[in-house]
Amino acid sequence: MIHSYVIIMVLCLCHFYSAFGQDCASRQEMQSSLKQVQKLLSAHEASYVQSLRTLRKKINLLQAATTKQAAKPDNGTCPKLEAPVNGRKLGKVQTPGHEVHFLCEAGYDLVGAETRMCQDTFTWSGQQPTCRNINECESSPCLNGGTCMDEVNQFSCTCTKGWAGATCQSPVPTSGSSSTSAAAATTLPAATAWPYVRPSRCTQVQGTTHCTCDPGYTISGRDTSTCTDIDECELFHNGPAGRLCLHSCVNTPGGYRCTCPAGYNVTRDGRNCKDIDECATRQNTCSRDQMCINTYGGFQCVRVDCPRVKNATYVKTSPMRCERNPCPVDNKACSQAPNSFSYHFLSVISNLSAPRVMFRVSAVRVMGDTLRFSLLGGKQARRHFTVQRSDRQTGQLMLVSPIPGPATLEAEVEMSELEKRVQLGRYITKVTMFVSQYDF
């Protein structure tokens, strides 16, 4: 088909010269014109082939995803884990890569793995933990020679003659004095401490006092009549088992709750944060001539305009691509300008681990004998990125050092086609990266 166009062009040129009474163009002029026409037709053919390959890739990806979904086993989760007796389990997700944390109630110590992860083999790491009763008598809470009896989540004191009270702290009143139990004589804390401090529930059996607390509270030292709230955020938020909450932990009476920053919602497990897609939910302020790019914790409104390059003009052929208009035959500066500009936007979390591939640039059809990839831009781009060749027709933009957020970075990848060291075409891919403030 290209040869047909070339023959038609030759006839048109000869007719043009004949119309003005001139001889047909010289062979050198004709060859120069034909080369320009051939380049133009090759560019259009390459664009057409690229569109076909892109469509083929999308079809292959769709077929692969469908096959993978069909081949996925029904039991692609780890078995359900139960909370230990006298303890709690934090986390409900049972897919590979997710963790489950275990806590014990007040008065118990955790024995075993505090965290278990669902592995790719659909088995849990570590051993199932148990909660062991703490021996409250180790601190010798009974005074004045009293004998301590350890019980589940509590203790009791058997007092010597002449002493009474939960910890044998009060002398037995003499005859004629009013008898008041230690629990009844206890004064409640100030109202400002409520509900983080509560009175314990005490019972007396055969002269022995037993005191217990509600879940989330613990006996306040030797004063068994008072229960103090357990601050789970302080004890477990950054403990050996990992963070209790992905972002922020807020202590509440008898428990805790996790919060997320603006732009995120708390997930169903109550611990993690999920990004809100403001673009999909129309919670953005982008105008009609702008494109909404969802980012982690927010969004960006962008507008792609074709660049202004000296001696060349560009037209937008798609929302993210601008191509150079055909150059005049005698305009060498125009033919040296980039053939196209492509724009891409990426959203990443803060301090993303490196090295890793961020973007790939590939030639649909190689016209010359050499394909060269290079990184354009200033020091900031070169500090975090580099360009490597993955195969003969593909170059990849590599992240070589983590980027702390929030930040916006731009990197330009140039792909050049050469024939015997003579440039045939240049293609610029501009990648803009929006880095979140958070690492999730």
Side-chain angles (χ1 to χ4, degrees):
M1 184 175 290
I2 292 179
H3 296 295
S4 300
Y5 284 126
V6 173
I7 294 172
I8 293 172
M9 181 59 69
V10 172
L11 294 176
C12 290
L13 289 174
C14 289
H15 178 73
F16 174 79
Y17 282 101
S18 300
F20 286 89
Q22 298 180 5
D23 294 334
C24 195
S26 65
R27 182 176 182 179
Q28 184 177 2
E29 293 175 338
M30 189 68 69
Q31 287 179 344
S32 177
S33 300
L34 290 177
K35 286 183 179 180
Q36 294 296 327
V37 172
Q38 187 175 13
K39 288 183 179 179
L40 178 62
L41 295 176
S42 297
H44 283 284
E45 183 181 6
S47 177
Y48 175 74
V49 174
Q50 182 179 8
S51 300
L52 288 178
R53 290 192 176 183
T54 302
L55 179 60
R56 189 179 293 110
K57 286 183 179 179
K58 290 182 178 180
I59 294 175
N60 291 338
L61 288 175
L62 182 60
Q63 290 177 342
T66 305
T67 304
K68 183 177 180 181
Q69 185 68 25
K72 186 177 181 180
D74 296 335
N75 58 343
T77 59
C78 289
K80 183 179 179 181
L81 293 178
E82 299 295 336
V85 179
N86 301 311
R88 290 185 293 168
K89 181 188 72 173
L90 304 179
K92 299 179 180 179
V93 183
Q94 300 170 222
T95 53
H98 286 81
E99 296 179 346
V100 173
H101 304 272
F102 298 94
L103 301 174
C104 289
E105 297 175 358
Y108 293 87
D109 275 333
L110 186 70
V111 178
E114 295 181 353
T115 301
R116 301 186 69 183
M117 175 183 290
C118 181
Q119 304 174 109
D120 294 335
T121 56
F122 305 121
T123 58
W124 292 99
S125 63
Q127 299 295 327
Q128 180 69 11
T130 58
C131 292
R132 180 181 59 188
N133 178 44
I134 298 175
N135 186 1
E136 287 85 0
C137 291
E138 290 181 355
S139 60
S140 303
C142 301
L143 307 177
N144 301 308
T147 302
C148 180
M149 299 293 293
D150 179 56
E151 300 178 13
V152 178
N153 199 23
Q154 60 186 9
F155 68 93
S156 60
C157 293
T158 302
C159 301
T160 58
K161 186 176 181 180
W163 297 94
T167 57
C168 305
Q169 76 279 14
S170 304
V172 176
T174 58
S175 179
S177 301
S178 59
S179 177
T180 306
S181 66
T186 301
T187 302
L188 290 177
T192 55
W194 187 266
Y196 292 97
V197 177
R198 294 182 179 179
S200 62
R201 298 191 299 271
C202 298
T203 58
Q204 290 189 355
V205 179
Q206 297 180 353
T208 302
T209 303
H210 303 268
C211 297
T212 60
C213 296
D214 293 332
Y217 290 82
T218 184
I219 296 292
S220 302
R222 295 183 176 181
D223 184 7
T224 58
S225 62
T226 303
C227 295
T228 304
D229 171 63
I230 299 173
D231 191 341
E232 292 86 356
C233 298
E234 181 180 356
L235 293 176
F236 307 115
H237 185 49
N238 291 313
R243 297 164 67 179
L244 196 60
C245 299
L246 181 63
H247 179 59
S248 180
C249 180
V250 178
N251 187 51
T252 60
Y256 71 95
R257 63 183 175 89
C258 297
T259 61
C260 295
Y264 294 86
N265 284 330
V266 180
T267 56
R268 290 185 178 181
D269 61 7
R271 297 179 56 243
N272 295 298
C273 299
K274 182 180 180 181
D275 173 61
I276 299 173
D277 190 342
E278 292 85 358
C279 299
T281 57
R282 298 183 181 180
Q283 301 180 40
N284 60 82
T285 56
C286 298
S287 59
R288 290 186 176 181
D289 60 342
Q290 292 177 325
M291 182 174 297
C292 181
I293 305 297
N294 184 58
T295 62
Y296 288 94
F299 64 93
Q300 292 285 341
C301 298
V302 300
R303 177 178 175 178
V304 175
D305 293 320
C306 291
R308 295 183 178 180
V309 179
K310 188 176 181 180
N311 300 319
T313 59
Y314 292 84
V315 62
K316 186 180 290 187
T317 57
S318 71
M320 295 294 184
R321 183 180 176 86
C322 294
E323 294 188 10
R324 188 186 68 197
N325 286 319
C327 296
V329 176
D330 58 345
N331 193 335
K332 185 176 181 180
C334 175
S335 62
Q336 295 297 318
N339 296 60
S340 66
F341 287 86
S342 298
Y343 300 85
H344 301 272
F345 302 91
L346 304 178
S347 300
V348 298
I349 61 175
S350 179
N351 290 311
L352 188 67
S353 61
R356 69 169 61 216
V357 178
M358 301 303 300
F359 196 83
R360 288 185 173 89
V361 179
S362 182
V364 177
R365 177 183 177 187
V366 180
M367 302 293 296
D369 55 18
T370 305
L371 200 61
R372 181 183 300 165
F373 297 92
S374 58
L375 177 66
L376 307 180
K379 294 181 179 180
Q380 187 178 19
R382 296 182 181 276
R383 186 175 67 181
H384 294 286
F385 301 101
T386 188
V387 171
Q388 295 181 353
R389 183 188 295 272
S390 59
D391 56 45
R392 185 175 179 273
Q393 295 184 215
T394 305
Q396 51 192 19
L397 179 66
M398 298 283 298
L399 177 70
V400 295
S401 64
I403 306 173
T408 300
L409 271 73
E410 294 183 353
E412 296 186 10
V413 180
E414 181 185 65
M415 181 177 66
S416 302
E417 287 184 308
L418 306 175
E419 176 70 33
K420 296 181 180 179
R421 299 185 179 182
V422 177
Q423 179 178 292
L424 299 180
R426 295 169 57 208
Y427 307 89
I428 305 296
T429 300
K430 292 190 174 185
V431 180
T432 303
M433 191 175 302
F434 300 114
V435 186
S436 169
Q437 179 181 354
Y438 308 100
D439 60 354
F440 54 83

